[in-house]
Amino acid sequence: MQETAVRDVPPALGNPALARRLAGRRPAVFLDYDGVLSPIVERPEDAVISESMRTVVRDLATRVPVCVVTGRDRGVAQRLMGVDDLAVAGSHGFDIWTPTRGSLSDAYVARYTDLVAEVTERLRDDTRGIPGAHVESKRASVAVHYRLVDPADRDRIAATVRSVLDDYAGRLKLTPGKMVYELGPNVDWNKGKAVLYLIDVLGLDGDDVVPLYLGDDITDEYAFRALRDRGIGILVGDPDDPEVANRTTAAHYALASVDDVERFLATLT
């Protein structure tokens, strides 16, 4: 599949080619949370959506389908957004809930509760002596954040994660992100498959609907690829940001910042 250097991806704001693709069709909007609806912050619990962004998202959701697809725990994402009436796929799409049908994944997630709890406890023990390390427990996965870890100690975090993966070989998979390692059940599922599932479940597969996915992280590339030939992927990120600069992407368009996301969603509204 063709990918483009981030610096060469055309902007989404004010782009007549994008406007033509949307003309006469109803958008269905899928949004990552961190880095899209809220800026990336040092402490994950501080990533609270702004009042203006919340208003724009709420207004948009009264007009077109809006779904949040995030690596966050579903309940945490809903709490940080202060919005509880949108479809949400948490834990990279593993934990799916919609306002009309409730949870679509509780029974499936329950199969891995003991495994996730066991791995969470192991990671907390193994990282306890590393200043700045933060282990975030989720319903369907566990994340090890190292943004606040001294660069000299980050190899210790990587070694700890490798050791856990070796000890649980075949049972866990690693999902890397921006200054975070996410460990979850080794199942063939990701944000792209979650988006395609939601398109089907929510009846958004008609020719009059065009799915849009906005994301900033490597994990969002699964969704960009899934929609490459049937929707529109929009990468959120400044090409001068070292966490983005050297990447390629399957996204069609780009927005430079969370502020640009807010402006773009307002134009859709």
Side-chain angles (χ1 to χ4, degrees):
M1 179 177 294
Q2 181 180 0
E3 296 199 356
T4 307
V6 169
R7 193 172 298 279
D8 297 330
V9 179
L13 274 174
N15 192 312
L18 175 54
R20 286 193 296 272
R21 293 187 66 175
L22 292 172
R25 302 173 72 191
R26 183 170 63 116
V29 183
F30 296 86
L31 301 163
D32 183 22
Y33 184 77
D34 293 276
V36 174
L37 295 180
S38 172
I40 299 292
V41 294
E42 290 188 343
R43 293 163 51 89
E45 60 270 29
D46 293 337
V48 179
I49 193 171
S50 69
E51 288 293 338
S52 59
M53 180 70 88
R54 183 183 295 111
T55 298
V56 167
V57 171
R58 280 191 176 280
D59 287 349
L60 182 61
T62 65
R63 293 163 171 81
V64 302
V66 176
C67 308
V68 175
V69 183
T70 174
R72 292 271 190 175
D73 184 88
R74 172 169 59 82
V76 171
Q78 289 172 314
R79 185 170 67 250
L80 289 171
M81 287 190 296
V83 179
D84 59 6
D85 55 358
L86 300 180
V88 177
S91 295
H92 300 281
F94 200 72
D95 184 6
I96 299 175
W97 179 92
T98 77
T100 55
R101 299 181 55 176
S103 175
L104 303 178
S105 57
D106 272 354
Y108 194 63
V109 170
R111 300 181 196 176
Y112 301 100
T113 299
D114 291 344
L115 172 64
V116 171
E118 185 179 313
V119 172
T120 299
E121 190 63 28
R122 161 76 181 272
L123 286 167
R124 282 181 173 151
D125 287 344
D126 290 356
T127 61
R128 205 178 304 279
I130 305 176
H134 173 61
V135 176
E136 180 188 5
S137 176
K138 306 180 185 183
R139 288 188 73 218
S141 62
V142 54
V144 184
H145 299 269
Y146 58 93
R147 187 173 293 274
L148 296 179
V149 173
D150 189 288
D153 286 331
R154 289 176 182 171
D155 284 347
R156 293 174 62 192
I157 297 288
T160 296
V161 170
R162 283 196 302 270
S163 176
V164 172
L165 288 170
D166 287 344
D167 289 348
Y168 288 84
R171 300 176 66 194
L172 294 176
K173 72 173 181 178
L174 171 66
T175 302
K178 290 182 175 178
M179 300 291 184
V180 61
Y181 298 110
E182 185 122 11
L183 285 77
N186 186 21
V187 295
D188 186 18
W189 197 254
N190 55 53
K191 288 183 176 181
K193 293 192 174 185
V195 168
L196 295 179
Y197 177 70
L198 282 165
I199 288 172
D200 180 54
V201 166
L202 300 177
L204 302 175
D205 52 355
D207 292 339
D208 62 327
V209 177
V210 53
L212 280 75
Y213 186 96
L214 281 69
D216 72 307
D217 208 345
I218 295 170
T219 59
D220 297 305
E221 292 295 332
Y222 289 110
F224 296 150
R225 294 178 193 125
L227 294 180
R228 185 70 191 181
D229 297 322
R230 63 182 298 178
I232 297 170
I234 300 176
L235 174 69
V236 181
D238 183 346
D240 292 328
D241 180 348
E243 291 185 26
V244 176
N246 297 321
R247 279 173 49 191
T248 60
T249 181
H252 300 86
Y253 301 99
L255 294 165
S257 66
V258 171
D259 289 340
D260 278 357
V261 170
E262 186 173 328
R263 285 190 282 270
F264 178 77
L265 296 180
T267 64
L268 290 181
T269 303

